[in-house]
Amino acid sequence: MRMIDDDLFTPKAVLWDLDGTLVDSDPLWVTAERHCAERCGVPWSDDLSLKMTAAPLPVCAAVLQDAGVSLDAATIIDGLVADVTAMYGDDVPWTPGAWDMLTELRSRGIPSVLVTGSPRSLAEHVVDAAPHASFVGIVSGDDDIAHKPDPAPYLRGAWLAGASPRECLVFEDSVSGITAALAAGAHAVGVDACARVPLSHDAGYPVIASLRELRRCDDTPAV
């Protein structure tokens, strides 16, 4: 797959999902969720993990409570965020090709917006670590709007970029995120490299193994 060809579609802005798409942070969230469950004596399982895949934090808290975690939702969420923040440390585990793609977009004058269900504190950490001036805005799980798969986050992301959704390209690693992007009217590309659940390649939207697959229009590798 080539980097956006002028004969096909040149985006006015790129809207990025965070966990599993831009940053390989899903393993950190799984570890935090597992620790929360086990600290409260709740057995961990793949089924429990699957129920929290690409889910906003309030949903994760509800899933853990239903499984037997005897903490209120705010305490669960604060604990998950604290654990993931501690595991991040000073490093951001970029997914393959992400850093170079951000640099490529910046060089072309195409702004990026981070659209995530994660809290703003983590989103800001990633934006601060990204190539300078890559991002022009953040839509976070702390914002008072509906969460993915509702289109609201991507509608706001497009607005922050000064573009219509039809002018935006979205990178996502989950079905709920792609559903949100398409419902908003944006162009969506699935990125499978670090997805917690592999994406179907027969779902009617393009899916790439990683951002390294994308190419510049001049046929030279983007990374």
Side-chain angles (χ1 to χ4, degrees), residues 95-219:
T95 59
W99 179 273
D100 299 281
M101 178 60 65
L102 288 171
T103 303
E104 170 85 2
L105 292 169
R106 184 187 61 182
S107 72
R108 294 181 179 212
I110 299 174
S112 291
V113 175
L114 193 58
V115 181
T116 177
S118 288
R120 184 164 291 269
S121 59
L122 284 177
E124 289 175 344
H125 181 74
V126 171
V127 167
D128 289 344
H132 179 66
S134 295
F135 287 92
V136 298
I138 295 171
V139 181
S140 76
D142 301 332
D143 296 345
D144 188 21
I145 59 173
H147 294 284
K148 305 170 191 177
D150 192 282
Y154 281 116
L155 291 172
R156 180 171 289 185
W159 178 79
L160 288 173
S164 74
R166 293 187 302 276
E167 296 173 309
C168 295
L169 177 66
V170 172
F171 289 123
E172 268 282 358
D173 77 316
S174 71
V175 172
S176 66
I178 291 171
T179 299
L182 294 176
H187 300 259
V189 174
V191 184
D192 227 5
C194 300
R196 196 186 300 194
V197 177
L199 294 168
S200 170
H201 287 247
D202 300 312
Y205 47 80
V207 175
I208 57 176
S210 81
L211 294 165
R212 286 177 175 163
E213 283 193 17
L214 298 179
R215 303 283 176 173
R216 293 192 181 100
C217 295
D218 61 6
D219 289 333

Side-chain angles (χ1 to χ4, degrees), residues 6 24 34 75 149 172 176 208:
D6 288 341
D24 185 16
R34 177 170 57 81
T75 300
E172 268 282 358
S176 66
I208 57 176

Side-chain angles (χ1 to χ4, degrees), residues 13-159:
V14 173
L15 313 180
W16 293 85
D17 173 56
L18 174 60
D19 298 297
T21 302
L22 183 63
V23 176
D24 185 16
S25 51
D26 276 336
L28 307 184
W29 285 106
V30 173
T31 298
E33 293 157 1
R34 177 170 57 81
H35 286 169
C36 177
E38 291 176 346
R39 282 194 294 264
C40 294
V42 174
W44 183 250
S45 68
D46 290 340
D47 181 61
L48 193 58
S49 177
L50 185 61
K51 290 178 180 177
M52 291 183 278
T53 298
L57 286 169
V59 172
C60 294
V63 169
L64 289 166
Q65 287 175 322
D66 289 345
V69 172
S70 55
L71 299 170
D72 62 78
T75 300
I76 292 173
I77 291 171
D78 288 347
L80 293 176
V81 173
D83 281 356
V84 171
T85 300
M87 286 185 279
Y88 258 74
D90 296 328
D91 297 320
V92 170
W94 304 103
T95 59
W99 179 273
D100 299 281
M101 178 60 65
L102 288 171
T103 303
E104 170 85 2
L105 292 169
R106 184 187 61 182
S107 72
R108 294 181 179 212
I110 299 174
S112 291
V113 175
L114 193 58
V115 181
T116 177
S118 288
R120 184 164 291 269
S121 59
L122 284 177
E124 289 175 344
H125 181 74
V126 171
V127 167
D128 289 344
H132 179 66
S134 295
F135 287 92
V136 298
I138 295 171
V139 181
S140 76
D142 301 332
D143 296 345
D144 188 21
I145 59 173
H147 294 284
K148 305 170 191 177
D150 192 282
Y154 281 116
L155 291 172
R156 180 171 289 185
W159 178 79

